[in-house]
Amino acid sequence: MHKKKNQLLSDFAQSVMDGLSDYPKHLPSRYIYDQQGDKLFQQIMQLPEYYLTRCEMEILAENKTALAEIFSPDGKPFNLIELGAGDGTKTRLLLQSLKTLGASFTFMPIDISENALEELENRLKSEFPGLAIDPWKGTYFQMLEQINTLNEDRKVILFLGSNIGNMLHPEAVRFLRGLQQAMREGDFLLVGFDQKKDPQKILDAYNDATGVTAAFNKNILRRINRVFGADFDLDKYKHWEVYDPQTGSAKSYLLATEAMEVRIEALDLNVSFHPWESIHVELSQKYDDSTVEWLAREAGLQIVNSYSDRSNFYKNYLFKKHKS
């Protein structure tokens, strides 16, 4: 764990140096998540504007029994791997159905947040006594190599919450292809994709009236202050959300409201900002069926089924490895 923790810290430092020295400036959204970031995201999921969690919960609640039967058709042991597990709220619906079915499986939640993993493990051990759970800490791409080593039992991989939307299409293809290469016949991949819809609905989801999303995105600056001894003044940055309905890209920025220079002591880095200069901190890609079908083809995956909420705001797609 210490080696992985040091590696993540090193990756964080490199990302900060590279992203804030670049033009235009950018920071990876995964570093928003620490104890404070996790707490803020829990609040976001409860906001009336943030429809994504409710829609996916509806889908899983309606289809949990059918999915459990697909995942465990013969009672043989398998590994249930969740990428970006978070607090596991949605996954618990599947865990309960699998337990009711008498399925034999090991749950392997993966997350970059050590805090989230510890809380999830404690909660699940209390809620599901006897559950075999093996948490992994790391980024999605770091864990692809680990997933590749699981060759004995079948694999069911979950990638919920439209987390794939944080990737540009070429990165998403590369990631899905990596998962496909780790899959064998009989393995499944369940992925959540937020759908294209009324642009205002999307903008509202990432720019709530109470400012929780703004505080969430600013948390990356707060974390840089804490970890690297920086002196970002969060009050001097404005959260700004844009959505392009043509590309389906929702992007979150932090804008410097005045000219300033920030010192990041531990990295021996000075960062200058012009008035209204931006830092891109999050991408939330939106999809339609044709885009998902294209991603699947490029990654060597076959769509088995798709599941939608009643409003058709959100879909979960079930994939298997495409036979060559």
Side-chain angles (χ1 to χ4, degrees), residues 15-69:
S15 295
V16 170
M17 292 184 70
D18 292 346
L20 295 183
S21 301
D22 202 1
Y23 183 82
K25 294 178 171 65
H26 52 89
L27 291 167
S29 59
R30 62 181 177 272
Y31 296 117
I32 298 173
Y33 295 89
D34 58 1
Q35 189 168 10
Q36 178 68 9
D38 293 343
K39 187 181 301 183
L40 286 165
F41 190 67
Q42 301 307 313
Q43 294 177 30
I44 286 172
M45 290 194 295
Q46 303 301 318
L47 292 170
E49 297 97 330
Y50 195 79
Y51 58 85
L52 290 84
T53 302
R54 290 190 298 277
C55 289
E56 195 165 38
M57 285 287 286
E58 178 188 320
I59 292 168
L60 294 176
E62 290 288 328
N63 298 282
K64 59 186 180 181
T65 302
L67 286 168
E69 290 172 351

Side-chain angles (χ1 to χ4, degrees), residues 47-117:
L47 292 170
E49 297 97 330
Y50 195 79
Y51 58 85
L52 290 84
T53 302
R54 290 190 298 277
C55 289
E56 195 165 38
M57 285 287 286
E58 178 188 320
I59 292 168
L60 294 176
E62 290 288 328
N63 298 282
K64 59 186 180 181
T65 302
L67 286 168
E69 290 172 351
I70 292 171
F71 294 164
S72 182
D74 52 14
K76 292 181 180 178
F78 68 96
N79 294 307
L80 181 66
I81 304 163
E82 182 172 13
L83 301 159
D87 70 347
T89 299
K90 289 169 285 194
T91 317
R92 288 204 289 275
L93 293 171
L94 289 174
L95 294 178
Q96 184 59 64
S97 289
L98 287 166
K99 283 290 186 182
T100 301
L101 190 64
S104 174
F105 66 97
T106 299
F107 180 47
M108 298 178 175
I110 296 172
D111 206 280
I112 195 172
S113 171
E114 186 173 0
N115 173 70
L117 283 175

Side-chain angles (χ1 to χ4, degrees), residues 119-133 135:
E119 290 188 358
L120 176 62
E121 184 175 13
N122 291 334
R123 189 180 303 117
L124 292 181
K125 282 183 175 178
S126 172
E127 190 171 342
F128 300 99
L131 174 68
I133 181 169

